[in-house]
Amino acid sequence: MSLLNDILSYNEEFVEKKEYEAYQKGKVPNKRLLILSCMDTRLVELLPKAMNVGNGDVKILKTAGALVSHPFGSIMRSILVGVYELGIDEICVVGHHDCGMSGIKVDATLQKMKERGVTEEKLDTLAFSGIDFEQFLQGFDKVEDSVKHSVSTVHNHPLLPTDVPVHGLVINPDTGKLDLVVDGYATK
């Protein structure tokens, strides 16, 4: 049986037993907070517990490295929708130690793409079309610097209201300890 079939089979029972009722909440978060974090599997349950948030309390966006790599990309659009349409009053960017985006090697990633069937011709076409793989696949060397960069991108966005604090934190994926990198109240 495939993973998809396992998911659908489980979901059928989940719905039949009305287990969803425990998760029914409004679309406006109770704590009016949006968290941008990394998609790391270790943070799925640890991050909300470490930050004392539960279902219905916050909006959580996940992306590789908790990076806001483009000021007018989908991550920033989601943040702005959260602020203007879903009642978000504060934002936390949360990176983590031992992140897969730390020290990523673009050439190695491109090689893995080729091994999985992406042709050199496709890569060349994208490069000739203006895609800079060094920038597109760029990671970071120090998580604190990456968090500061993402906080700055969000905080200085021309469409973000100036009264929305943007905080930066780094979490230890083993212990859940949070370290403050940027106090958004101090930068308002």
Side-chain angles (χ1 to χ4, degrees), residues 114-173:
K114 292 174 192 175
E115 290 168 5
R116 299 280 301 265
V118 176
T119 65
E120 190 73 45
E121 180 182 34
K122 285 181 184 178
L123 294 172
D124 288 344
T125 299
L126 291 170
F128 293 139
S129 298
I131 301 299
D132 178 352
F133 288 110
E134 288 293 326
Q135 183 179 12
F136 179 65
L137 298 171
Q138 180 181 5
F140 52 83
D141 292 324
K142 189 174 178 193
V143 68
E144 293 84 359
D145 292 340
S146 175
V147 167
K148 287 177 188 175
H149 179 267
S150 289
V151 166
S152 177
T153 300
V154 175
H155 175 74
N156 294 308
H157 197 280
L159 300 177
L160 188 78
T162 57
D163 64 342
V164 175
V166 183
H167 312 289
L169 303 164
V170 174
I171 189 170
N172 180 318

Side-chain angles (χ1 to χ4, degrees), residues 63-81:
T63 183
L67 293 169
V68 181
S69 56
H70 193 286
F72 290 95
S74 62
I75 295 299
M76 195 63 221
R77 179 183 60 226
S78 295
I79 290 169
L80 293 169
V81 167

